[in-house]
Amino acid sequence: FQQGSGAEIARYNNKIWYTAKAGSSYRIIELDFDENNLTTSFATQYNTGLWAHHNQTDFGALCAINATTLVAHYANINNFDRWIKKIDFSKGTAVVTNLFNTGGVTNPICYAKDIVYIPSSNSFIMVGKELAGYRDSVQQQFGNMSPFHIATLHHDNAFHFDFSGNLLGGSPIDMGQ
């Protein structure tokens, strides 16, 4: 296995998952984590069926919703496939479902760098930088000259999305000199 190009890792209780390239597809590797002894052991692996080719596709973020469900940002630059995907392995195999597209005008993040699930609101905080379509969405929601719209041109931002992909808000996060 070849580990992905980023730090795609998720944890829920005593489980840790990470992405790995295996041939032309991605797999999710599941580890059992012993918090008392700070050790891990291989539990299983899941073939996602998602294409991996010469770093042109990638998981940019991974988080756990529960012990059998992960959410990931997956981008395939060859066909502009940029989705938040749910990966359910409750039945022993990976079932991958598109939740929402992040490459269009209504969902501005093109490449998520990190993602955190918020159980109390069934929503996500994602971090990413402006690419295709992003300025238009922020401009429509926050105004052309708003500090948030201006910051989206050059800075990473934190975005709050519901489970359907509706943008609930956002803020620039790296406004240092």
Side-chain angles (χ1 to χ4, degrees), residues 25-96:
S25 68
Y26 277 102
R27 296 185 185 263
I28 302 288
I29 308 301
E30 181 179 295
L31 305 173
D32 291 322
F33 176 56
D34 181 343
E35 194 171 304
N36 294 324
N37 296 310
L38 299 177
T39 59
T40 60
S41 59
F42 176 82
T44 192
Q45 63 180 315
Y46 303 97
N47 186 354
T48 66
L50 295 172
W51 187 63
H53 179 68
H54 302 295
N55 291 329
Q56 294 173 349
T57 57
D58 206 4
F59 280 97
L62 187 68
C63 72
I65 297 216
N66 57 43
T68 60
T69 308
L70 302 177
V71 170
H73 185 260
Y74 173 81
N76 178 341
I77 65 169
N78 293 316
N79 65 5
F80 300 100
D81 179 23
R82 295 180 182 100
W83 285 87
I84 298 299
K85 296 183 180 277
K86 181 173 82 170
I87 305 167
D88 181 347
F89 37 85
S90 60
K91 306 271 194 257
T93 60
V95 177
V96 179

Side-chain angles (χ1 to χ4, degrees), residues 125-147:
I125 299 292
M126 288 180 264
V127 175
K129 187 169 281 204
E130 181 273 323
L131 289 172
Y134 171 61
R135 281 173 290 211
D136 297 334
S137 178
V138 173
Q139 179 182 4
Q140 290 170 6
Q141 187 162 347
F142 296 100
N144 189 36
M145 296 307 292
S146 74

Side-chain angles (χ1 to χ4, degrees), residues 99-145:
L99 292 180
F100 56 91
N101 189 310
T102 63
V105 172
T106 57
N107 295 304
I109 291 182
C110 283
Y111 294 99
K113 294 179 178 179
D114 204 358
I115 183 170
V116 176
Y117 176 66
I118 304 171
S120 61
S121 61
N122 197 32
S123 62
F124 305 96
I125 299 292
M126 288 180 264
V127 175
K129 187 169 281 204
E130 181 273 323
L131 289 172
Y134 171 61
R135 281 173 290 211
D136 297 334
S137 178
V138 173
Q139 179 182 4
Q140 290 170 6
Q141 187 162 347
F142 296 100
N144 189 36
M145 296 307 292

